[in-house]
Structures are given as structure tokens and as C-alpha cells.
Amino acid sequence: MAVQPEGTPCWADAMFADVEGAKSFYADVLGWTFGESLAEFGHYTQAYANGKAAAAAVSPPMPGEEGNPSSWCLYLASQDAAATVAKVRENGGEVLMEPMEVGAFGTMALARDPGGAVFGIWQGNTHEGFETEMGAPGGYCWSEVFTRDAKAVDAFYPAVFPYTEQKMDEASMDLAVFQVQAQPALGRMVMDSDFPPEVPSYLNVYFAVPDCDAAVARTTERGGVLHFGPMDSPFGRFAVLGDPQGAAFSVIDVTTTKGEMPPMSPAT
């Protein structure tokens, strides 16, 4: 597998108090199957789309984190985790976990951007990350940083990763896109008054589904919640959901699009 370009979203995982419940839920909503639980790595369990392509992972909380709420963590590719961590510190971010080797799989670190959103850093070795194709059902599709401090975040990410930034021309929405090698990699949205003040900044991870409305129905039937949508867009029909253990995620059907792509211009 080719090394991911620096800053590319390359993996996602989440910790759940009820791992078996999470596996059952995501198997139903996203069609995932699960591999062997790796006891030597904290019972980390990989999820697969179409039975064979690595899509994400779930695990129980690490010791001392049992009371933390469940949430999805997005990892950004790094060719040198230690160097990336240094850039995080130099540019106003916070390092939550120093680079740590995960067997032969690679090296991970956790960080928080100046706006408060937590993300992972992954220097792949035998495990480079997602094996799913973009837009394929069950696979990772997109992610956005939701923040209340766009100015700080817009300065931070291109300083840590080799991003260029574009912004939507439409003045009514403050939307930016960070690009890697001229390809969209990560979105940035501003949290407005619709977000309760107690909701922290976060990275919203999208997984592709063949039918957005069906995924919403399965989510609510299984005890999850619908936070937003379903809504049509030029990118696909999507919805923001919460699983029964509180982890937020989004689903999108990229085959069902509506409207014109919004014009974007380089950020100034």
C-alpha cells in the first residue's frame, strides 16, 4: 500500500464501554464485519466493509478512561509523528498523547487543535490505514472540523500539515476546505448558535452508505439518534447521527446529489 500523503485522513476509531453493542449497531447501520479482538493491544478490533476492506476500529476504554464519553477519532497521516507533534506545539495546539509505537502497525499520537477539536496522528508501518475506496458503502468518505475559532484553526492546520486552504465564495456560510496535493482532505465549519454551548469543537466523520434514509431508520430503530437531516446537497444526501453510546458520526449517499457544487477560492 502506498504511503498516504502528509495530512491525509487515514484512519478512524472509537472506544465503547459496550464493545459488543457497538459492533452489533455498526454492523446493522454500516454493514461492517469485525476481525479478531487483539488482546495485546487492548482488545482493539478492526471493522471491515464488504467483508475485506479495513474501514475503522472499535475498542474498550483504556484504563482510567472508563468514564469518558464515546466519540470517533480521526487520524491524519504523518511521515514523522515526532516532527508533527512538535509542529502541533509550535502552532498553539496541545499534545494529549506523545508518539507511541503500536507494535509493527505504526506510531500514533493524539492532539487538540487551538479550537478544542481532538484528532489523531498516524505514522503508518504495516498498517497504513483505510483500505476502502472513497464513497464505497461502509467506508470513510469525508470529515470536517467543527469549531468556534475559525481564525485559529485556519492558521493551525496548514502550519502543521502541508495544506492549502480554499473558502466558499458564498458569504452566508463560513466553510473552508484544506487540500493535500490539490485534493480536498478536510473541511472546516463554524459552530453557530444552533450548537449548544456545552458541545465542544470536534471532528465530524462521514461514512458512506448506499441509502441515507435507510441508515437513519436503522440508527433510530437501534436506539441511536438523528441530530440533523437527512439533507440533499451537491456532495450527496447526508445525515448527522449519534449511536446508542453517544458517539456522533455522519452518513452520506454520494450517488444521490442535488444542486451545483459551491464555488471556492483560495483563502487570503
Side-chain angles (χ1 to χ4, degrees), residues 6-262:
E6 192 94 0
T8 302
C10 63
W11 192 241
D13 61 20
M15 295 182 183
F16 296 100
D18 180 3
V19 174
E20 292 305 313
K23 289 164 64 176
S24 176
F25 172 82
Y26 285 101
D28 194 13
V29 174
L30 298 180
W32 286 350
T33 56
F34 292 87
E36 182 182 356
S37 174
L38 301 176
E40 64 270 37
F41 296 108
H43 295 283
Y44 199 79
T45 306
Q46 193 156 267
Y48 296 89
N50 298 320
K52 58 183 180 179
V58 299
S59 69
M62 291 188 291
E65 297 188 359
E66 291 83 359
N68 291 348
S70 295
S71 63
W72 281 99
C73 180
L74 180 74
Y75 292 79
L76 304 176
S78 170
Q79 295 177 21
D80 185 336
T84 301
V85 160
K87 290 180 181 179
V88 167
R89 286 197 174 97
E90 291 166 2
N91 291 282
E94 179 184 1
V95 177
L96 304 178
M97 178 187 289
E98 296 289 347
M100 177 184 71
E101 288 189 7
V102 186
F105 297 113
T107 300
M108 68 170 289
L110 294 176
R112 180 181 285 121
D113 71 30
V118 174
F119 64 97
I121 297 163
W122 182 250
Q123 179 184 341
N125 188 14
T126 62
H127 192 297
E128 289 290 347
F130 298 124
E131 296 177 348
T132 52
E133 295 183 9
M134 191 66 70
Y140 168 83
C141 192
W142 182 241
S143 54
E144 297 158 341
V145 182
F146 276 79
T147 184
R148 293 183 175 85
D149 193 345
K151 183 177 180 180
V153 165
D154 287 355
F156 174 78
Y157 283 98
V160 175
F161 300 103
Y163 290 154
T164 56
E165 184 183 13
Q166 291 201 328
K167 290 188 175 180
M168 184 183 291
D169 293 344
E170 174 56 54
S172 63
M173 180 178 292
D174 191 347
L175 167 66
V177 173
F178 300 115
Q179 295 186 323
V180 174
Q181 298 180 359
Q183 295 299 314
L186 183 67
R188 191 272 293 146
M189 295 283 290
V190 171
M191 299 171 74
D192 56 23
S193 57
D194 291 338
F195 288 83
E198 66 271 16
V199 175
S201 299
Y202 67 101
L203 268 80
N204 180 34
V205 179
Y206 288 72
F207 296 106
V209 292
D211 185 325
C212 177
D213 295 76
V216 169
R218 286 195 294 272
T219 295
T220 55
E221 288 167 2
R222 292 294 304 266
V225 295
L226 172 63
H227 292 305
F228 179 82
M231 179 179 177
D232 293 317
S233 80
F235 307 98
R237 185 166 173 80
F238 72 97
V240 183
L241 306 170
D243 70 26
Q245 298 184 63
F249 67 104
S250 291
V251 293
I252 185 166
D253 169 11
V254 298
T255 68
T256 303
T257 61
K258 187 174 182 180
E260 299 293 327
M261 287 290 185

